[in-house]
Amino acid sequence: MFPDCEIYAFEPSESAYRKLAATAGVDPKTRPFHLALGERNVPLVRLAMFCARERIFRIDILKIDTRGCERKIIKGAGGPDDGPVSVLGKYLQGAGVLTAQAVVQRLLGALTSIVLARGLGTTGFGAYSAVINTVSCAYGMVRLGVDAAIHVYTARGKQDAEFVCLTGELLGAGLCILATGGFVAAATLAVSSEWLAVVVFGQPDLTGPLKFAGVLTALQCLSQFSYAALAGFQKFSAYARLMILNAVLTLALSAGGMWIYGLGGALGGYGIAQAILAMSLGGAATRAMREQGVRIAYSRLSRAFASLMRLGGPFYLSGLVAVPVIFYLQGLLSRSAGIDALGLLRVIGTITAVVAFVPGSVAAVTTSTLTRVRAEQGASSSKVFDYAFLQLKVIWYLTTVMAMTLAVLTSVLIETLFGAEYEAAIEPGTVALFSTAVASTAAAAGSLLFAVQRSGVIFWQSLWQSLVLAGGGLLLIPTAGVLGYVGAELAGNLMGLVFILFAVIRLAGRGWRDSRLAQAFTLCAFACLSSIVAIVQLSAVSTRILALLLKVLCMTFGVLWFGLSAWEQSVVRRVTLRFRARKG
């Protein structure tokens, strides 16, 4: 019937395969395989993996006779998913896992900061913070946006042969870029550590620790590659387990090293924990790739590199603008207020991490889910924006409530956990809480832009945000110290949020008033700002708590009544009715 076709025949039975091989031997266009096809790789072979290995990009006729296993074979070929219910279920499952992991990890991280702050003192903890901040900035300079691009490309959810091959090539190019970037960062920091210590931080004693920051940056590059692959394949449970284990190891090794060798021991323990994390994440990513039938390939590196940079380049440029500004301002703060000021910033960061943990923990699963929804429903689908707008409002509301709550408790938390020597962090910490809520909401909007592959907007947002941050920091830090730094940060974050919200509204093709975003964000912003001002003026804790409860009640009513669109209100009603039905 098809004289020119090529036939791929599969037979798992040994005796039947021998007969098949004997029959197929007379036809050069028939290739027998002693394999079983199925939904998973082990002990079966997925059809998508086989097609990728054999470079088969089109199947004209597929004949299956497996006595009831046909559906599993089709699913292994990259068949259709189970629909929106499956996508939503995966999102909630992934979000739940990452949120639980974030809670445990943030608690352990806070405990680590408390132990190190008390053990090292303000000066030693400031030096420790300078090294960790240098690692973050160095990674931002060498990442090239590759990790984010890998996450988006692998999250598209397709499982055909072409996708499997392309994913392997992208992973190969990404690994080469990040490994090279880590090596460059390590070499650069080793050479420039003395200049950074003297000129940037004004602390010559930091020369040795800053050399070690290069090693930590190289380890972070490897870890982020594995994390991006795991997030793209939606292996959030494996990632969560490893990150919790890493938080435990970091606490034990850093604290143990500090008690024996001081600052050097704390950094050494942290480095060992990061090395173990890099190896563990690498093993988990390898297993995930094996399950997906993906193998890292180093062919066509130039094409893969171009694909990664097309998406990740604008995202990287946004970091390239922001990272030097942040690093310079932290150096200015160290020169103006002393190395102790960086320790105060880290204490503030430990408190504000509670505000950021929910949006930060679900960022990866949000990007993966929105990317998959866009791939399945088309680039022009408005459903992506419907879900994204609802998510933005939920994150803005939750972070605002948490910021107001922590503002009531900031003085108690800092003095109780870190000690009276860090009480200078109380006032700037209160301002930083609202700044973190603003930054978290802007980051959530950035996840949407990245999912719809409009990362160029993120660059312009980062540019304007960095300009405001730089101008404010240069004016305020020399006179106000840490408070000036967080004040400039708040001004920059507000600029970034306003810019990115206008961009999202225009991209969605909706009017600002019709989207109800203006009402929701205005209500939350007014409630948070007025609460913080009132809390600062009130001395009695009971009075602060009463003011907090009233603000939260008014804000909740206002958002539900004025801040939700008709579609969002229908979602809330359906959820409420379902909850009542289950309760009844």
Side-chain angles (χ1 to χ4, degrees), residues 105-117 251 255 350 417-418:
Q105 187 179 355
R106 296 299 170 98
L107 289 175
L108 291 171
L111 183 57
T112 302
S113 295
I114 293 168
V115 171
L116 294 180
L251 171 60
T350 302
L417 298 177
F418 294 94

Side-chain angles (χ1 to χ4, degrees), residues 248-270:
V248 174
L249 287 175
T250 300
L251 171 60
L253 295 175
S254 297
M258 177 196 66
W259 291 120
I260 299 174
Y261 298 108
L263 175 61
L267 290 172
Y270 179 84

Side-chain angles (χ1 to χ4, degrees), residues 272-411:
I272 294 173
Q274 296 310 301
I276 295 173
L277 175 66
M279 292 186 291
S280 301
L281 286 176
T286 301
R287 290 190 294 273
M289 285 184 270
R290 190 181 300 121
E291 291 177 6
Q292 298 291 326
V294 175
R295 288 185 292 183
I296 293 180
Y298 299 100
S299 58
R300 295 185 284 192
L301 283 176
S302 59
R303 188 184 75 165
F305 175 77
S307 298
L308 291 174
M309 293 308 301
R310 186 163 51 249
L311 180 59
F315 185 75
Y316 167 70
L317 290 176
S318 66
L320 196 62
V321 172
V323 168
V325 172
I326 294 172
F327 192 63
Y328 175 79
L329 291 181
Q330 290 178 353
L332 177 62
L333 179 62
S334 176
R335 297 193 303 272
S336 302
I339 193 68
D340 298 11
L342 296 182
L344 295 178
L345 271 187
R346 193 153 194 86
V347 169
I348 293 170
T350 302
I351 301 298
T352 58
V354 179
V355 176
F357 90 90
V358 171
S361 61
V362 302
V365 67
T366 298
T367 301
S368 297
T369 303
L370 293 178
T371 300
R372 188 158 296 188
V373 169
R374 181 176 183 269
E376 292 177 353
Q377 300 196 11
S380 60
S381 174
S382 63
K383 284 296 181 184
V384 177
F385 295 99
D386 288 336
Y387 287 114
F389 287 159
L390 180 59
Q391 177 218 11
L392 285 176
K393 294 171 186 177
V394 170
I395 286 178
W396 186 222
Y397 174 84
L398 290 177
T399 54
T400 301
V401 171
M402 286 189 285
M404 293 190 298
T405 304
L406 286 173
V408 175
L409 305 172
T410 298
S411 59

Side-chain angles (χ1 to χ4, degrees), residues 489-563:
E489 196 173 48
L490 172 60
N493 288 335
L494 283 171
M495 169 58 74
L497 177 61
V498 171
F499 181 92
I500 204 167
L501 286 180
F502 271 104
V504 168
I505 294 298
R506 291 192 61 184
L507 185 62
R510 305 177 187 184
W512 178 260
R513 296 180 62 183
D514 294 338
S515 68
R516 295 293 185 104
L517 278 175
Q519 296 93 320
F521 286 109
T522 302
L523 286 166
C524 290
F526 175 77
C528 193
L529 280 174
S530 59
S531 295
I532 289 176
V533 171
I535 287 167
V536 170
Q537 300 298 323
L538 298 174
S539 57
V541 176
S542 59
T543 310
R544 290 183 176 187
I545 294 175
L546 180 60
L548 169 67
L549 293 176
L550 290 175
K551 288 291 184 181
V552 171
L553 182 63
C554 294
M555 183 182 68
T556 303
F557 175 79
V559 170
L560 291 176
W561 190 260
F562 298 105

Side-chain angles (χ1 to χ4, degrees), residues 143-313:
R143 63 186 293 200
L144 298 182
V146 169
D147 50 351
I150 290 174
H151 181 180
V152 171
Y153 279 129
T154 54
R156 289 175 295 176
K158 299 178 181 178
Q159 294 191 357
D160 53 48
E162 187 173 4
F163 168 77
V164 172
C165 291
L166 178 59
T167 301
E169 294 169 359
L170 292 172
L171 290 173
L175 180 58
C176 289
I177 294 170
L178 286 175
T180 303
F183 175 79
V184 170
T188 302
L189 286 174
V191 173
S192 61
S193 58
E194 183 176 0
W195 178 83
L196 290 173
V198 175
V199 177
V200 176
F201 292 103
Q203 305 291 330
D205 294 339
L206 280 178
T207 300
L210 287 175
K211 288 183 179 180
F212 187 61
V215 178
L216 296 177
T217 305
L219 291 174
Q220 185 171 349
C221 287
L222 297 177
S223 296
Q224 285 297 119
F225 166 79
S226 301
Y227 162 69
L230 288 171
F233 293 133
Q234 297 194 354
K235 300 297 181 181
F236 301 113
S237 297
Y239 170 74
R241 288 193 298 269
L242 292 176
M243 292 306 295
I244 291 174
L245 176 61
N246 174 253
V248 174
L249 287 175
T250 300
L251 171 60
L253 295 175
S254 297
M258 177 196 66
W259 291 120
I260 299 174
Y261 298 108
L263 175 61
L267 290 172
Y270 179 84
I272 294 173
Q274 296 310 301
I276 295 173
L277 175 66
M279 292 186 291
S280 301
L281 286 176
T286 301
R287 290 190 294 273
M289 285 184 270
R290 190 181 300 121
E291 291 177 6
Q292 298 291 326
V294 175
R295 288 185 292 183
I296 293 180
Y298 299 100
S299 58
R300 295 185 284 192
L301 283 176
S302 59
R303 188 184 75 165
F305 175 77
S307 298
L308 291 174
M309 293 308 301
R310 186 163 51 249
L311 180 59

Side-chain angles (χ1 to χ4, degrees), residues 96-139:
V97 167
L98 291 182
T99 301
Q101 169 253 316
V103 171
V104 177
Q105 187 179 355
R106 296 299 170 98
L107 289 175
L108 291 171
L111 183 57
T112 302
S113 295
I114 293 168
V115 171
L116 294 180
R118 287 184 171 271
L120 295 174
T122 55
T123 301
F125 192 54
Y128 178 88
S129 302
V131 174
I132 302 302
N133 293 342
T134 301
V135 173
S136 299
C137 291
Y139 175 71

